[in-house]
Amino acid sequence: MLLRLAALAALAAAPCLVAAQSAPVPVRASAQALTLDDAFARVAQAHPDLRLFDGQRAVFDAEREVAALRPPLEAGIEIENLGLDSPARTLETTLTLAGVFERGGKPDARRALAQTRIDALALQRETARVDLLAETARRHLAIVIATRRLAIAQADVAQRTRFVASARQRFAAGASPEAVVLTAQAAQAQAELQAANARLEIETARRSLSMLWGDPDGAFDVLEGDPLALPDIADFDILRALLVRSPELLQFNDRARIAEARLQLARSDATPDIGWQAGIRHQRENGDISLVGGFVVPLGSRTRAQPGIRAASAELALVSIERDAGDRALQATLAEAHGQYRVAQSAVSLLARDVLPRLTRAASATERAWRAGAVSYLEWSQLQDGRSDALRQQLDAAEAAQIALIELQRLTGQSLVVANATPAPFEGDAR
């Protein structure tokens, strides 16, 4: 349980989503402020996938009660010589009580199988919970990323609007042709289109997140999240060692225990049960009463049990093979996510350190030069486009890194941060 709680805490403390806010997200006055922890709580409380396990637990509890029952006693009556038309007939009536002595540990094997299924259900529920929390974090991240895209688009719109005003002044003064004004207006319209698309992305992402707890309206705004804050993580070999405690691999341990319980139950069938019967016999002719009893032992129980034993043994061996296959698949997924995070983290850092500052200074210098008539509109527009594209490239890399980080935490079930992240500067509002 401590591991499962750690997995929940790891996702809840995802550094990408609760980092310091270098660029606060505007919040609508009428909207409800929603944190990532709030989203986690709502999903854990309302998602039907988790409620399914409560119903399954009731079914397994009932099956455990059935498994604890012993074979029922059977009461019977037997009448002999009924209907014989003979002076010498003797009508005999026998009252019997019969039952079965279970041998080979069958009751304990049944109870063990039922209990292991209940125990496995708890881990299955926690695994489903972790998967849902990871999906919640991804959808929350989509809102944060779309909000940043909107900020970049709005900054571009503001820049294009200023340029349109300057182009009109130059056209009115006869310093530039009308084509420059029309081109600037078209670029402004394209920037406004990107801003409109970003707003639609925010609404779609908000609705997608709220549907996890069954709210189609999604009337809330997120208050936190700096996707450019990318922490350093442990090396791959260290993360690989953590996979042994992955909820996905721990499920195979439960499956192995269930298979072992089934094997034990199959082996118990090789020991024959003993049926017994006791009763009272009454002879109507002379009124004598006598006690009767007997035992029944089935033959060939060991032979009949062999196919079930072989099937249970094969199932147990198959679980081991499936665990090895699952382990390799998880390692491959871990390696891919780890590599994606490192590459994207490097790209975000490089763009923030070397590319964006130079493009920002170049765009500002080119704008001043254009106002002075030293450069053409095409040169200034290309620099502005290059800066906006670099901002979007940085945001795309940050999104890829955050998704990879969420996946790494889902696989390992714990936080992977080994040092405080230094947020990359966000220049979406830079002029």
Side-chain angles (χ1 to χ4, degrees):
M1 181 58 69
L2 292 178
L3 170 63
R4 298 168 193 132
L5 293 177
L8 174 59
L11 288 172
C16 59
L17 300 176
V18 295
Q21 304 165 25
S22 63
V25 179
V27 181
R28 297 175 294 183
S30 60
Q32 178 184 1
L34 184 79
T35 66
L36 182 58
D37 288 339
D38 293 335
F40 283 159
R42 293 186 182 188
V43 171
Q45 181 179 7
H47 201 280
D49 282 356
L50 298 181
R51 296 203 306 270
L52 283 175
F53 291 96
D54 297 332
Q56 291 177 347
R57 174 60 187 264
V59 173
F60 289 168
D61 285 340
E63 292 180 351
R64 179 177 58 181
E65 293 180 7
V66 173
L69 296 176
R70 293 187 176 275
L73 297 176
E74 298 179 354
I77 183 171
E78 181 180 347
I79 302 176
E80 299 182 14
N81 300 328
L82 185 64
L84 291 178
D85 189 11
S86 171
R89 70 172 185 165
T90 300
L91 188 63
E92 296 180 355
T93 304
T94 306
L95 298 177
T96 61
L97 183 67
V100 175
F101 290 123
E102 289 189 305
R103 303 172 64 228
K106 291 183 180 66
D108 292 337
R110 288 197 305 268
R111 286 192 293 267
L113 177 58
Q115 186 61 48
T116 53
R117 294 179 66 187
I118 294 175
D119 295 340
L121 188 64
L123 181 57
Q124 292 171 12
R125 188 183 191 281
E126 292 304 322
T127 302
R129 176 195 288 268
V130 170
D131 290 340
L132 279 174
L133 295 183
E135 181 62 22
T136 303
R138 284 190 287 265
R139 297 189 188 189
H140 185 276
L141 174 64
I143 300 176
V144 175
I145 294 297
T147 304
R148 284 302 183 94
R149 288 197 179 102
L150 177 59
I152 294 173
Q154 288 175 333
D156 197 19
V157 169
Q159 189 80 321
R160 300 290 182 178
T161 301
R162 291 196 305 272
F163 187 81
V164 169
S166 298
R168 285 174 176 170
Q169 292 176 357
R170 289 176 58 86
F171 172 67
S176 62
E178 185 181 9
V180 174
V181 178
L182 297 175
T183 303
Q185 290 174 338
Q188 179 186 3
Q190 290 178 336
E192 291 174 347
L193 177 61
Q194 290 181 343
N197 290 338
R199 292 188 184 93
L200 289 176
E201 289 181 6
I202 292 174
E203 293 300 322
T204 301
R206 183 183 292 112
R207 186 173 295 109
S208 176
L209 174 61
S210 63
M211 286 304 296
L212 286 176
W213 56 81
D215 180 13
D217 296 332
F220 62 87
D221 277 300
V222 296
L223 296 178
E224 58 189 356
D226 180 12
L228 303 183
L230 300 177
D232 293 330
I233 61 175
D235 293 335
F236 173 73
D237 291 338
I238 297 177
L239 300 185
R240 181 183 177 185
L242 297 177
L243 281 181
V244 295
R245 293 180 289 177
S246 169
E248 294 188 29
L249 286 184
L250 290 178
Q251 288 191 78
F252 287 104
N253 296 338
D254 287 335
R255 289 181 57 187
R257 283 190 287 268
I258 293 174
E260 290 172 354
R262 287 176 176 166
L263 177 59
Q264 183 60 36
L265 183 60
R267 287 173 175 170
S268 69
D269 290 337
T271 302
D273 298 332
I274 299 177
W276 58 268
Q277 179 176 318
I280 300 175
R281 177 172 294 172
H282 175 260
Q283 295 180 348
R284 184 177 181 182
E285 184 70 20
N286 52 24
D288 290 342
I289 296 177
S290 60
L291 298 177
V292 295
F295 294 92
V296 177
V297 179
L299 302 178
S301 297
R302 184 175 299 276
T303 301
R304 288 193 303 271
Q306 292 308 310
I309 294 175
R310 290 196 299 270
S313 299
E315 181 182 0
L316 180 58
L318 186 61
V319 171
S320 178
I321 298 174
E322 290 178 347
R323 188 189 188 285
D324 291 341
D327 185 26
R328 295 187 182 185
L330 287 179
Q331 290 187 38
T333 303
L334 183 74
E336 181 179 3
H338 188 271
Q340 288 177 351
Y341 182 83
R342 286 287 177 84
V343 170
Q345 182 189 35
S346 177
V348 170
S349 177
L350 178 63
L351 287 167
R353 183 181 65 251
D354 297 333
V355 178
L356 283 170
R358 292 182 173 89
L359 285 176
T360 299
R361 291 195 299 269
S364 299
T366 304
E367 181 179 4
R368 292 191 299 269
W370 181 80
R371 293 178 186 275
V375 297
S376 66
Y377 164 77
L378 180 61
E379 292 175 299
W380 180 89
S381 179
Q382 287 178 340
L383 274 174
Q384 180 64 23
D385 289 342
R387 178 180 173 276
S388 297
D389 290 342
L391 284 171
R392 295 186 182 96
Q393 181 182 0
Q394 183 190 41
L395 189 60
D396 290 342
E399 181 181 18
Q402 301 293 1
I403 292 175
L405 183 60
I406 292 172
E407 181 66 10
L408 288 172
Q409 293 181 123
R410 186 190 71 84
L411 290 174
T412 59
Q414 58 184 293
S415 178
L416 305 177
V417 181
V418 297
N420 293 329
T422 301
F426 177 66
E427 303 184 7
D429 294 327
R431 298 291 184 260

